[in-house]
Amino acid sequence: MKLNIKINGKPKDFDVAPNTLLLNLVRDDMDLTGTKYGCGIGECGACTVHMDGLAVLACMVLAVDADGHEVDTIEGLSDGTELHPIQQSYLDEGAVQCGFCTPGFIMSTKALLEETPSPSEREIREYLNGNLCRCTGYVNIVKAVQAAAEQMK
Ligand code: FES
Ligand code: FES
């Protein structure tokens, strides 16, 4: 099937099988491997990207459903070599250990802060409860979101 998807601001044509997942299109066809393949069944959040500004799980979206839409991945966040404030906060607060979950957390954080610029700790924990981390214990992730919210005010 022929598709056109704007990825990280650039429109691109694709020719894919009907059952291709958005996750595979991003990782395999675009080589945007920052988006991670974790569980593949919508449970871990590692594959979180934005579609038309909303956080979606790329393992649960068919590529054909992204036809004509805008998809943003973690690679689109930085401005050249300048990290996005959310990325910098995750680094500064030690919210990254193995890093496998981090792109998904950061994309979810961006969606959260666009909806709720000054979230409470409870709102942060509730919003990010679809993102699983095996390493950090979440405390520093919450601190990173709070620090990013401060910087982005
Ligand atoms: S890989 Fe998509 S939710 Fe786990
Ligand atoms: S930093 Fe390792 S899974 Fe989250």
Side-chain angles (χ1 to χ4, degrees):
M1 301 185 73
K2 296 196 184 308
L3 317 176
N4 184 278
I5 304 173
K6 193 185 263 191
I7 298 195
N8 295 331
K10 292 185 189 145
K12 184 156 171 56
D13 294 321
F14 299 93
D15 192 355
V16 300
N19 62 350
T20 301
L21 296 173
L22 180 58
L23 177 56
N24 294 119
L25 177 133
V26 162
R27 285 181 56 85
D28 302 336
D29 293 32
M30 292 295 295
D31 211 20
L32 296 171
T33 54
T35 304
K36 300 302 183 209
Y37 195 134
C39 64
I41 55 169
E43 296 286 344
C44 75
C47 65
T48 305
V49 298
H50 289 192
M51 191 155 88
D52 297 335
L54 297 176
V56 297
L57 300 172
C59 72
M60 301 300 286
V61 176
L62 288 171
V64 294
D65 289 330
D67 185 29
H69 293 274
E70 295 189 17
V71 171
D72 293 300
T73 71
I74 189 75
E75 288 86 351
L77 228 57
S78 59
D79 183 7
T81 56
E82 186 82 11
L83 291 179
H84 187 281
I86 299 172
Q87 293 173 304
Q88 192 61 54
S89 296
Y90 270 70
L91 282 179
D92 293 346
E93 298 296 332
V96 178
Q97 288 187 29
C98 81
F100 195 84
C101 69
T102 308
F105 265 98
I106 288 174
M107 295 307 283
S108 292
T109 300
K110 185 161 187 280
L112 164 64
L113 296 182
E114 278 163 7
E115 267 178 46
T116 310
S118 298
S120 65
E121 178 175 345
R122 184 175 171 175
E123 286 172 319
I124 294 168
R125 288 183 180 273
E126 281 179 0
Y127 199 94
L128 298 181
N129 73 5
N131 291 83
L132 304 183
C133 176
R134 290 178 160 219
C135 307
T136 64
Y138 300 95
V139 172
N140 288 2
I141 290 175
V142 172
K143 285 185 188 165
V145 177
Q146 290 167 328
E150 272 302 310
Q151 284 176 45
M152 291 167 66
K153 265 183 192 166

